[in-house]
């Protein structure tokens, strides 16, 4: 009896293309972040706040992944950044080919930061390389503290966790410290930020991390 690892076969071609994209982004000195999260965790809100704080000094482009609508891309454009929408029509993640086609429409010579907002879930996106420098998990405190334990692959593959909606802690049966602890239990190498996009709390540290990472690409 022979066992075939289907996912490995599928992702091998994607990984090869992702490495080509990574080389392309490196040549242009672009920092690339892949944002993954459950629906409603606040990925788009974090992008909006990042554009508001960094957009005057940093050229930001955004690739938006969504099953059907252009709503998030419209929000990004209103915030002041160029955005390309990818509709997967029910697909649960973006892949390197989709991202490659989207970034062909950007002027990469005029780009410092490329943010990919992946389709909202913590399963499928984790396994697919998009040529990013870092994967950022946005984890809403309102989802509970157990997400790193229930979806370990997303947190294991990530370099950064942004815990959002910390302003809700007084109204929830979980704490920010508990979510942080679970995330670091799964992946002790994670950089963790605690923010409230609604109240702009904790965003200074996040934005400084982004600035510092952009500087390393130049």
């Amino acid at each position: 009896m022979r066992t075939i690892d289907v996912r490995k076969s599928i992702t091998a071609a994607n990984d090869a293309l992702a490495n080509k994209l990574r080389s392309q982004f490196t040549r242009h000195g672009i920092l690339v972040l892949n944002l993954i999260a459950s629906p409603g965790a606040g990925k788009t809100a974090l992008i909006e706040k990042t554009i508001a704080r960094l957009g005057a000094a940093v050229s930001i482009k955004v690739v938006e992944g969504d099953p059907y609508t252009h709503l998030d891309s419209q929000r990004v454009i209103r915030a002041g950044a160029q955005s390309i929408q990818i509709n997967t029509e029910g697909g649960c993640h973006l892949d390197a080919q989709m991202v490659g086609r989207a970034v062909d429409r950007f002027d990469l010579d005029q780009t410092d930061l490329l943010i990919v907002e992946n389709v909202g879930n913590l399963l499928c996106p984790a396994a697919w390389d998009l040529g990013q420098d870092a994967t950022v998990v946005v984890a809403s405190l309102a989802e509970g503290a157990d997400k790193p334990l229930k979806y370990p692959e997303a947190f294991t593959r990530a370099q950064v966790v942004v815990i959002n909606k910390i302003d809700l802690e007084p109204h929830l049966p979980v704490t920010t410290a508990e979510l942080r602890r679970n995330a670091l239990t799964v992946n002790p190498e994670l950089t963790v930020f605690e923010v409230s996009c609604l109240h702009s709390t904790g965003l200074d540290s996040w934005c400084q991390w982004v600035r510092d990472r952009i500087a390393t690409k130049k």
Side-chain angles (χ1 to χ4, degrees), residues 39-203:
K43 297 190 305 299
T44 311
L46 182 64
I47 294 170
E48 289 173 318
K49 293 295 185 179
T50 303
I51 294 168
R53 287 174 175 248
L54 300 182
V58 173
S59 177
I60 302 173
K61 307 291 195 303
V62 181
V63 174
E64 281 288 346
D66 194 70
Y68 296 107
T69 76
H70 287 66
L71 296 174
D72 290 343
S73 190
Q74 291 166 3
R75 287 174 60 182
V76 167
I77 292 169
R78 287 195 297 269
Q82 186 179 354
S83 179
I84 300 296
Q85 181 73 52
I86 299 174
N87 289 133
T88 62
E89 297 185 355
C92 62
H93 64 87
L94 299 181
D95 61 32
Q97 185 177 46
M98 296 175 186
V99 172
R101 288 198 299 263
V103 299
D104 281 344
R105 299 168 62 183
F106 291 139
D107 182 353
L108 297 183
D109 288 326
Q110 300 298 319
T111 305
D112 301 307
L113 172 62
L114 174 65
I115 301 175
V116 179
E117 181 175 352
N118 221 311
V119 179
N121 73 90
L122 288 173
L123 284 173
C124 307
W128 294 81
D129 188 357
L130 307 180
Q132 70 268 21
D133 294 290
T135 296
V136 179
V137 175
V138 181
S140 164
L141 187 61
E143 298 172 71
D146 60 355
K147 288 299 178 289
L149 307 178
K150 295 176 69 174
Y151 301 93
E153 185 172 12
F155 290 83
T156 300
R157 290 176 177 265
Q159 288 72 48
V160 178
V161 170
V162 177
I163 301 175
N164 188 28
K165 305 185 184 181
I166 61 172
D167 53 297
L168 295 178
E169 183 168 334
H171 312 287
L172 297 172
V174 298
T175 66
T176 304
E178 185 181 0
L179 178 50
R180 170 190 279 268
R181 183 168 59 251
N182 287 340
L184 291 174
T185 296
V186 172
N187 182 357
E189 302 301 318
L190 285 168
T191 298
V192 182
F193 298 98
E194 300 173 7
V195 310
S196 166
C197 289
L198 179 64
H199 297 291
S200 298
T201 305
L203 292 171

Side-chain angles (χ1 to χ4, degrees), residues 10-33:
I10 293 172
T11 59
N14 178 85
D15 291 348
L17 179 54
N19 284 329
K20 291 182 181 179
L21 287 174
R22 188 174 289 106
S23 296
Q24 180 183 14
F25 298 144
T26 297
R27 288 196 303 272
H28 289 277
I30 301 170
L31 174 66
V32 183
L33 303 179

